[in-house]
Amino acid sequence: MNIKPRPLSSVPPAVRAMLAAALALQLGWQATRPPPQARAEALPPAPPPAALQLAALGDPAALSRLLMLYVQGFDEQAGVRIAWRELDYGKLRLWLERALDLDPRSQYPLLAASEVYGAVGDPARVRLMLDLVYQRFGADPDRRWPWLAHAAVVARHRLHDLPLARRYARAIRLQATGPQVPAWARELELFVLEDMNQAEAARALIGALLASGQITDPNELRFLEQRLQSMAPPP
């Protein structure tokens, strides 16, 4: 059975007026609403280690890379960009630690901590990232020394915290003893001591380096001997 639509003229005028008024109100309300704004989501807590081990399905290194991609992509959300200083660095540190635990040979988490997230303009957040590098350095010093060296430079020149810079540089000298560690990294503590006007400590350090037997390069030995002579106290 076909039902023919009724013409508009058959609708009572009062009903037509009510419909027109409702439509006008709807259009007016939509016009006065502010445009929709994208809202940034907060970085969620890092999953517990046990859950990540289960999710890794036998390939923790691949999951570590996925975690890093997720974290580094978090500042770019749909319609909004999050500044690093607005991230919860306590949660961020745990994400980086989880990624490193999944793949201890990966350099990516510590690189991100020292050179990416450590570049934020907030000293408290910078210190949190540098401390992460320092705390994890001892597990593999001969491979992780570049990030602690960078942390020492940041502490020395950006934070102007010479005792902190010396702590990092001293850890490199004492623990990063492999042949692939360059001379300047082992001698970084010396330059920090000079900045601290601790000439006696600097001379003692040079003597310890020369006596340790770790330095075999003739140019490096000559540099240290010349440095020691230039720092000798006046007679």
Side-chain angles (χ1 to χ4, degrees):
M1 178 169 112
N2 295 329
I3 300 177
K4 295 182 180 180
R6 297 174 60 187
L8 185 61
S9 58
S10 64
V11 179
V15 175
R16 288 197 301 235
M18 290 176 59
L19 290 174
L23 180 60
L25 285 173
Q26 177 71 11
L27 292 175
W29 178 67
Q30 292 290 346
T32 57
R33 291 182 64 190
Q37 296 183 350
R39 300 185 58 142
E41 297 181 6
L43 183 67
L52 289 174
Q53 289 296 336
L54 289 174
L57 298 176
D59 193 353
L63 183 57
S64 174
R65 291 190 291 271
L66 287 176
L67 290 189
M68 292 303 302
L69 289 173
Y70 170 76
V71 170
Q72 290 208 273
F74 201 82
D75 59 340
E76 292 281 358
Q77 298 181 22
V80 64
R81 179 177 176 85
I82 305 174
W84 290 336
R85 65 179 177 272
E86 297 175 4
L87 292 172
D88 185 328
Y89 265 50
K91 292 180 180 178
L92 174 62
R93 174 171 176 161
L94 285 176
W95 277 98
L96 296 177
E97 288 187 303
R98 297 289 191 266
L100 191 59
D101 289 338
L102 285 168
D103 186 7
R105 293 190 59 80
S106 174
Q107 302 286 0
Y108 197 5
L110 295 183
L111 181 153
S114 65
E115 299 195 16
V116 178
Y117 297 110
V120 72
D122 181 358
R125 287 178 166 85
V126 173
R127 289 178 183 273
L128 196 62
M129 291 294 100
L130 300 189
D131 184 67
L132 167 60
V133 175
Y134 176 66
Q135 295 297 332
R136 293 306 190 101
F137 162 75
D140 193 358
D142 286 345
R143 297 181 68 252
R144 296 178 179 177
W145 68 265
W147 321 124
L148 191 59
H150 184 266
V153 172
V154 171
R156 179 185 178 191
H157 294 291
R158 286 182 48 207
L159 298 179
H160 306 291
D161 189 337
L162 292 177
L164 184 64
R166 186 191 178 186
R167 183 192 308 168
Y168 295 162
R170 185 172 186 270
I172 295 172
R173 175 175 65 85
L174 294 178
Q175 300 180 54
T177 57
Q180 71 274 29
V181 181
W184 67 262
R186 290 195 299 266
E187 296 161 4
L188 191 56
E189 185 184 5
L190 171 63
F191 302 114
V192 177
L193 285 172
E194 291 179 351
D195 286 347
M196 298 173 73
N197 295 319
Q198 295 192 17
E200 187 62 35
R203 287 194 295 271
L205 174 58
I206 293 177
L209 286 170
L210 291 172
S212 67
Q214 295 179 354
I215 300 174
T216 57
D217 182 84
N219 293 323
E220 187 178 350
L221 288 170
R222 189 179 309 112
F223 167 78
L224 290 175
E225 290 169 353
Q226 292 174 352
R227 197 77 177 218
L228 186 60
Q229 292 174 4
S230 68
M231 296 171 61

